[in-house]
Amino acid sequence: MKPRRTIADVARLAGVSTATAGRVLGGYGYAAEATREQVLKAAHELGYRPNALARSLITGKTRTVGVVTGDIQNAFYASILRGISDVLGQHGFGLLITNSDENLEQEVRAVELLLEKQVDGMIVSPCDTRGAQHLRGLAAAGVQLVLIDRAVAGLEVDRVLTDNVAAAEHSVAQLIAAGHRRIGIVAELVGEPRGQVADFIRRVQRGTLTAADPLYPSWQRLWGYVRAHQAAGLAVDPALIRRAGVYAPDAARVQTHLLLDLAAPPTALFATDGTMSEGVVRALSDRGLDLPRDLSLSCFDDLDWMGFYRPGITTAAQPRLAMGEAAAHLLMERIDGATVPFRSVVLPAELIRRGSVAPPA
Amino acid sequence: MKPRRTIADVARLAGVSTATAGRVLGGYGYAAEATREQVLKAAHELGYRPNALARSLITGKTRTVGVVTGDIQNAFYASILRGISDVLGQHGFGLLITNSDENLEQEVRAVELLLEKQVDGMIVSPCDTRGAQHLRGLAAAGVQLVLIDRAVAGLEVDRVLTDNVAAAEHSVAQLIAAGHRRIGIVAELVGEPRGQVADFIRRVQRGTLTAADPLYPSWQRLWGYVRAHQAAGLAVDPALIRRAGVYAPDAARVQTHLLLDLAAPPTALFATDGTMSEGVVRALSDRGLDLPRDLSLSCFDDLDWMGFYRPGITTAAQPRLAMGEAAAHLLMERIDGATVPFRSVVLPAELIRRGSVAPPA
DNA sequence: CTGAAAGCGCTTACAG
DNA sequence: CTGAAAGCGCTTACAG
């Protein structure tokens, strides 16, 4: 095992001090042209490679960012990660990733690991939108934080979100416009007590819910669903609101079957994200239902298959890549020392109309 | 910005030397029970968090692994990454990721970055199966390497691969068994000169190709395709072999259309991976073809939609998660000091028979 | 069991 | 422009 060469080795060979060798190799401070060439030559001969650890220990900067998201296997997070990775790459930053599996304990451990590794900043999709003690004080401690996909109550840091309420309202309004009156919604709706749904709907209807409420995306999308009904003067039937409770396609599949088994089944379905969409379509596939003849469907997130699953799935496409890029840009600015007030980047989801929506039979 | 607390701060508060504080906090060396409690109490009071950088600088170990794969947005790599991440997490290791976009220059840069960050090991899916100078000598320099998905000529390090030839042969044999005689194949087939295909087929037929040839997966799958024909005593029609040349669904889509426009079109199609499969299905969807009535299809990689895209897509499922886990396990063992000869883990792909294969019309 | 000292590989003032 | 010295936050022998 050949020993790694250090600045001292290079300096010795070049006949200069380590300070001088460091200056040319590290690109800081001055060096005469002749000296710089000698050093570079020596470094090249020895196959010198800087040790980022030593540098970071002194500068207090690692040029590394940590990300904690639910599950990198999920297309939503995978794209976000790609967007983040692209921007960080341009800045020469490294990317440390972790999965929380939407579990607070794991998330806390992940943040702890990233902190010990001295990341300059982190991008997190928090699984707890209220407490999140482990995320507070990070910025004050010199570790920049940007939230993605979800906000946290009272945590004023940069964040990038999708305009979920508007996108859901638009999606459901489109179904109503096509003539649907009984629209089923399949959503995760995690993080609140079971009985909350009815109360939540009442609050939306009375307008006592405010944008300041730190809601999970699926609750915001339910909000949009209720608003679309309100706008159209339609009553909301609680039986059509199905709660999966977890981020798993199979839970959505089960709820969809329950919905379709109703005495008065819905004529259209709204799935609130990619995971739910997959489960809903699985259920429709199980039943051999023909879209949009037997049922209309509007999804959320534009997954690969939605473009070619016949007749083409209409969906609200979140700009996943752009979300990751935006988060990374915000973070890079903070790490570069920007001290502007915290920013909330809210990106629109685009309704892509394909073939899965038609008037009810 | 509150200053980070160091071992010196803890030692001072606990009234012991930094050496002693370090011993209890770092979990190395002995300490009297009373001392350890004092130190722990002081550390807790100060909110002490170890600086992994300083420790790594001394120990020469970062407990961090780097991964370089083509594109984390691709479901194949995303799953592999998840498998790797799970195993590393159990060992308390961090995971640094990079994308090569199947581009050598980017891969070289990524490896360089990981090296500077002093990773203990790396898992790479090399985009060059011949040269790969940047990967040679890594192990000798103390950085453990394990290859995933692809081998490199003459690079004897641990690796985990899929048994591509067998899986492809099995897939195509199944189509032949169903009665197909004209089977189209849509594959990337990158990394070799354009004219090579005919020569490659001849080499397969003459049996002069050996397992030692470091082939890209798609070439190995073409190998299996040819072997299945040989075994059935069928001639291979070069017109049915379509080369996408890049890892992009649209290239496969174009090639599929070309295939179906042939005067004597194939009655069955074999797509050699998830990316090609998506492109092929897009083309079939473009044409409104009905599977398996109009055409039979056998894919590679088990993507989410293959389970519910009617009538269910028959495919050779690579154990992606297990591949990542296996790679991580091999790496962990090396990092723990195992000095066993290099290992080649070859995992089988399972043919999942769903509804897309039937006898020709 | 504990402490004083040296050192990991760099960068940072500070002289000259 | 260059060098000697100190130091980042830890761990590692080595005494005692």
Side-chain angles (χ1 to χ4, degrees):
Chain A
M1 180 166 142
K2 67 179 161 200
R4 303 179 191 182
R5 319 318 297 244
T6 69
I7 271 199
D9 298 323
V10 175
R12 201 173 307 122
L13 182 59
V16 299
S17 70
T18 60
T20 298
R23 274 187 285 256
V24 0
L25 262 15
Y28 51 89
Y30 311 91
E33 191 47 38
T35 314
R36 114 178 282 93
E37 273 171 25
Q38 267 177 124
V39 172
L40 257 16
K41 180 159 163 288
H44 183 80
E45 260 174 48
L46 295 175
Y48 171 76
R49 178 169 12 245
N51 183 330
L53 254 34
R55 172 177 300 177
S56 295
L57 189 55
I58 298 169
T59 62
K61 300 275 150 228
T62 51
R63 297 184 75 77
T64 300
V65 159
V67 174
V68 11
T69 52
D71 176 13
I72 52 174
Q73 233 186 317
N74 181 130
F76 177 66
Y77 291 125
S79 291
I80 283 180
L81 230 39
R82 185 40 141 123
I84 292 171
S85 172
D86 288 346
V87 173
L88 293 189
Q90 289 164 209
H91 291 257
F93 272 62
L95 173 58
L96 231 22
I97 63 162
T98 60
N99 300 102
S100 71
D101 285 324
E102 307 295 351
N103 167 163
L104 184 58
E105 207 179 306
Q106 259 176 267
E107 183 180 307
V108 171
R109 261 207 306 278
V111 167
E112 194 58 32
L113 179 79
L114 296 176
L115 250 17
E116 291 187 3
K117 293 202 182 293
Q118 312 295 123
V119 295
D120 293 338
M122 21 203 278
I123 295 175
V124 0
S125 179
C127 67
D128 173 7
T129 61
R130 315 264 163 160
Q133 276 314 317
H134 58 300
L135 297 179
R136 299 178 192 278
L138 243 38
V143 177
Q144 303 304 325
L145 168 67
V146 0
L147 260 22
I148 195 161
D149 190 42
R150 306 166 193 173
V152 170
L155 183 53
E156 304 216 325
V157 297
D158 290 339
R159 53 202 193 190
V160 3
L161 308 167
T162 295
D163 189 349
N164 290 312
V165 180
E169 180 172 1
H170 190 188
S171 297
V172 176
Q174 155 222 212
L175 293 169
I176 293 174
H180 295 279
R181 292 297 172 264
R182 293 186 60 71
I183 301 168
I185 174 173
V186 180
E188 269 97 0
L189 300 179
V190 298
E192 302 286 339
R194 277 262 145 204
Q196 279 294 100
V197 177
D199 182 53
F200 180 84
I201 292 172
R202 258 192 304 278
R203 288 170 62 208
V204 171
Q205 290 172 332
R206 288 182 190 149
T208 61
L209 210 54
T210 75
D213 279 286
L215 265 16
Y216 282 83
S218 63
W219 286 94
Q220 295 178 322
R221 293 169 195 164
L222 172 58
W223 183 351
Y225 168 91
V226 175
R227 280 233 304 231
H229 280 74
Q230 262 189 307
L234 253 39
V236 168
D237 179 353
L240 298 181
I241 298 174
R242 308 304 308 192
R243 188 170 181 169
V246 292
Y247 287 85
D250 266 332
R253 184 185 197 170
V254 167
Q255 293 304 324
T256 304
H257 279 303
L258 254 24
L259 222 32
L260 298 176
D261 285 339
L262 249 31
T267 61
L269 257 29
F270 174 50
T272 62
D273 67 27
T275 304
M276 296 294 100
S277 296
E278 183 186 325
V280 168
V281 172
R282 278 189 187 274
L284 304 187
S285 177
D286 289 342
R287 293 179 174 235
L289 255 28
D290 190 9
L291 299 181
R293 204 196 58 193
D294 301 333
L295 194 74
S296 282
L297 172 66
S298 195
C299 288
F300 216 98
D301 272 343
D302 189 22
L303 302 183
D304 296 336
W305 54 267
M306 293 183 182
F308 58 82
Y309 187 89
R310 279 170 295 167
I313 306 295
T314 290
T315 195
Q318 296 190 76
R320 302 176 295 188
L321 216 62
M323 287 174 75
E325 291 169 350
H329 277 128
L330 291 176
L331 190 60
M332 288 294 100
E333 287 176 29
R334 289 283 175 205
I335 289 175
D336 283 351
T339 54
V340 295
F342 95 98
R343 298 156 291 183
S344 195
V345 175
V346 179
L347 267 17
E350 184 200 358
L351 182 63
I352 301 183
R353 293 167 187 274
R354 289 197 274 240
S356 62
V357 174
Chain B
M1 184 167 138
K2 66 181 164 199
R4 301 181 192 181
R5 318 319 297 243
T6 70
I7 272 199
D9 297 323
V10 176
R12 200 172 310 122
L13 181 60
V16 300
S17 70
T18 61
T20 297
R23 275 188 285 256
V24 0
L25 262 14
Y28 51 89
Y30 311 90
E33 191 48 36
T35 313
R36 111 178 285 92
E37 273 170 25
Q38 266 177 124
V39 172
L40 256 18
K41 180 159 163 288
H44 183 79
E45 259 173 50
L46 295 175
Y48 171 76
R49 179 171 9 247
N51 182 331
L53 254 34
R55 172 178 300 176
S56 295
L57 188 56
I58 299 170
T59 63
K61 301 274 150 228
T62 51
R63 297 183 76 77
T64 300
V65 160
V67 174
V68 12
T69 52
D71 175 13
I72 52 173
Q73 233 185 316
N74 181 128
F76 177 65
Y77 291 124
S79 291
I80 283 181
L81 229 40
R82 185 38 141 128
I84 292 171
S85 172
D86 287 345
V87 174
L88 293 189
Q90 288 164 210
H91 291 255
F93 271 62
L95 172 56
L96 231 22
I97 63 163
T98 60
N99 301 102
S100 72
D101 284 324
E102 306 295 351
N103 167 164
L104 183 57
E105 206 179 306
Q106 258 176 270
E107 182 179 308
V108 171
R109 261 207 306 279
V111 168
E112 193 59 32
L113 178 78
L114 296 176
L115 249 17
E116 291 187 3
K117 292 201 183 292
Q118 313 295 122
V119 295
D120 293 339
M122 20 202 277
I123 296 176
V124 1
S125 179
C127 66
D128 173 8
T129 61
R130 315 264 163 159
Q133 276 314 316
H134 59 299
L135 297 179
R136 298 178 192 277
L138 243 39
V143 177
Q144 304 304 325
L145 170 66
V146 0
L147 260 23
I148 194 159
D149 190 43
R150 307 165 191 171
V152 170
L155 216 207
E156 305 216 325
V157 297
D158 291 339
R159 54 201 193 191
V160 2
L161 308 167
T162 295
D163 189 349
N164 290 312
V165 181
E169 179 172 1
H170 190 188
S171 297
V172 176
Q174 157 223 208
L175 293 170
I176 293 173
H180 295 280
R181 292 298 171 264
R182 292 186 61 70
I183 301 168
I185 175 173
V186 180
E188 267 97 0
L189 300 178
V190 297
E192 302 287 340
R194 276 261 143 205
Q196 280 292 101
V197 176
D199 182 54
F200 180 84
I201 293 171
R202 259 192 304 278
R203 289 169 63 207
V204 172
Q205 288 172 335
R206 287 180 191 148
T208 61
L209 209 55
T210 75
D213 280 285
L215 264 17
Y216 281 85
S218 63
W219 286 93
Q220 295 178 321
R221 293 169 195 166
L222 172 58
W223 184 351
Y225 170 92
V226 175
R227 281 232 305 231
H229 281 75
Q230 263 188 308
L234 252 37
V236 167
D237 179 353
L240 298 181
I241 299 174
R242 308 304 308 192
R243 189 170 180 170
V246 291
Y247 287 85
D250 266 331
R253 185 184 196 173
V254 168
Q255 293 303 324
T256 304
H257 279 303
L258 255 23
L259 221 32
L260 298 176
D261 285 338
L262 249 30
T267 60
L269 257 30
F270 174 50
T272 61
D273 67 26
T275 304
M276 297 293 101
S277 297
E278 182 186 326
V280 169
V281 173
R282 278 188 187 274
L284 305 187
S285 177
D286 289 341
R287 294 181 173 234
L289 254 30
D290 190 9
L291 299 180
R293 204 196 57 193
D294 302 331
L295 195 75
S296 281
L297 172 66
S298 196
C299 289
F300 215 99
D301 271 343
D302 190 22
L303 302 183
D304 296 336
W305 54 266
M306 293 182 182
F308 58 83
Y309 188 90
R310 278 169 295 168
I313 306 296
T314 290
T315 195
Q318 296 191 75
R320 301 176 296 184
L321 216 62
M323 289 174 75
E325 291 168 350
H329 277 129
L330 291 176
L331 190 60
M332 288 293 99
E333 286 175 30
R334 289 283 175 204
I335 289 175
D336 282 351
T339 54
V340 296
F342 96 99
R343 298 156 292 182
S344 195
V345 174
V346 179
L347 268 15
E350 183 201 358
L351 183 62
I352 300 183
R353 295 168 187 272
R354 289 199 271 240
S356 62
V357 175

